[in-house]
C-alpha cells in the first residue's frame, strides 16, 4: 500500500471534531490518543424553547492534529509507504487495474494499482478525475471560545435560528475551560455576537 501526501510532512492544523462512540471501535489506539472530551448530553434551543437529549453512549471530541500522526504511524506499522510532496494528477483504467499519474519533486511518475482510495476531501480531485459529480458543500466558521460558566463540560449546546441560517450554531466543550463553536458562513455576524473568541 502507498499513501500519497501532497505536503512535505505531516503537520496537520489543529481542529476539533465531534464523532460518535463508534470511532473508538473503528480506530483503537489512535482514537484514544486523540480524544479530548466526552459529550453525554445535548441541549437544544430555539424560539425561547429548550430541550435536552441524553446519549446512551458518549460522543467524542477529537483533535485532528493528534489523530492524523497516529493514523500515519499505524499505517507504517502495517507496511504502508507514505510518499510526501507527491501530488495526484489523474487516473485511468488499464489492463492490470488502474494507472495513476502523480508528480513528486517536480518529476512525474506512473503508478499501477488494483484500487485507489481518494481521501482528499469534499472537493476531491480523485473523485472528479474518476467521473464522480461534485458534492454540495456549506462553508463553516469555527472559533475557539471560553466555555460559559453555566455550560457543563459534558454538554453540547445547539441553537436553531431560522432567520439567520437554515442550519444551526453549536458550542462543543473541548475541556472545562474552552470549547469550539460552529456556524455556517452566512451566520457569521450572529456567531460573532454570541461568542467571545479566545485570543
Amino acid at each position: 500500500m502507498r499513501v500519497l501526501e501532497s505536503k512535505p510532512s505531516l503537520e496537520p492544523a489543529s481542529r476539533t471534531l465531534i464523532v460518535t462512540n463508534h470511532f473508538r471501535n473503528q480506530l483503537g489506539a489512535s482514537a484514544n490518543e486523540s480524544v479530548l472530551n466526552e459529550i453525554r448530553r445535548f441541549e437544544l434551543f430555539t424560539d425561547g424553547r429548550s430541550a435536552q437529549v441524553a446519549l446512551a453512549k458518549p460522543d467524542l471530541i477529537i483533535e485532528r492534529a493528534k489523530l492524523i500522526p497516529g493514523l500515519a504511524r499505524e499505517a507504517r506499522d502495517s507496511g504502508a509507504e507514505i510518499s510526501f510532496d507527491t501530488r495526484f494528477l489523474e487516473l485511468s483504467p488499464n489492463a492490470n487495474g488502474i494507472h495513476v499519474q502523480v508528480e513528486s519533486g517536480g518529476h512525474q511518475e506512473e503508478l499501477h494499482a488494483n484500487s485507489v482510495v481518494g481521501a482528499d476531501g469534499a472537493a476531491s480531485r480523485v473523485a472528479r478525475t474518476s467521473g464522480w459529480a461534485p458534492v454540495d458543500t456549506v462553508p463553516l466558521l469555527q472559533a475557539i471560545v471560553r466555555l460559559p460558566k453555566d455550560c457543563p463540560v459534558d454538554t453540547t449546546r445547539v441553537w436553531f435560528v431560522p432567520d439567520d441560517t437554515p442550519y444551526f450554531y453549536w458550542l462543543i466543550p473541548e475541556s472545562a475551560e474552552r470549547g469550539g463553536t460552529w456556524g455556517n458562513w452566512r451566520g457569521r455576524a450572529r456567531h460573532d455576537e454570541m461568542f467571545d473568541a479566545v485570543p
Side-chain angles (χ1 to χ4, degrees), residues 66-142:
K66 293 183 178 181
L67 174 64
I68 292 176
L71 292 177
R73 183 179 62 250
E74 289 190 10
R76 288 192 182 101
D77 291 345
S78 298
E81 174 189 354
I82 301 180
S83 300
F84 293 101
D85 195 24
T86 302
R87 189 167 63 94
F88 169 84
L89 297 177
E90 62 181 5
L91 58 76
S92 59
N94 63 23
N96 298 318
I98 303 172
H99 164 80
V100 182
Q101 190 82 15
V102 302
E103 182 181 68
S104 180
H107 302 285
Q108 291 196 11
E109 181 182 356
E110 294 184 0
L111 307 177
H112 297 276
N114 293 324
S115 59
V116 174
V117 176
D120 51 340
S124 170
R125 183 169 184 166
V126 174
R128 292 199 312 272
T129 304
S130 303
W132 290 46
V135 297
D136 293 332
T137 60
V138 176
L140 296 176
L141 176 69
Q142 182 187 31

Side-chain angles (χ1 to χ4, degrees), residues 15 122 135-142 165-169 182-188 191:
R15 181 181 173 187
V135 297
D136 293 332
T137 60
V138 176
L140 296 176
L141 176 69
Q142 182 187 31
T165 172
Y167 305 101
F168 52 84
Y169 305 102
W182 299 71
N184 78 295
W185 190 258
R186 281 179 289 177
R188 180 177 181 178
H191 183 282

Side-chain angles (χ1 to χ4, degrees), residues 3-75:
V3 179
L4 309 180
E5 171 56 59
S6 62
K7 295 180 180 179
S9 62
L10 277 181
E11 297 179 358
S14 178
R15 181 181 173 187
T16 52
L17 307 167
I18 184 168
V19 297
T20 70
N21 201 265
H22 292 293
F23 178 77
R24 275 198 171 115
N25 300 329
Q26 292 173 331
L27 297 183
S30 293
N32 290 328
E33 292 174 6
S34 64
V35 174
L36 301 180
N37 191 21
E38 294 185 350
I39 299 298
R40 300 180 181 279
R41 183 176 60 172
F42 277 71
E43 293 180 349
L44 313 177
F45 302 91
T46 186
D47 297 330
R49 295 170 293 165
S50 64
Q52 296 185 5
V53 178
L55 303 180
K57 293 183 178 180
D59 280 356
L60 308 174
I61 309 306
I62 64 170
E63 171 53 69
R64 182 178 64 175
K66 293 183 178 181
L67 174 64
I68 292 176
L71 292 177
R73 183 179 62 250
E74 289 190 10

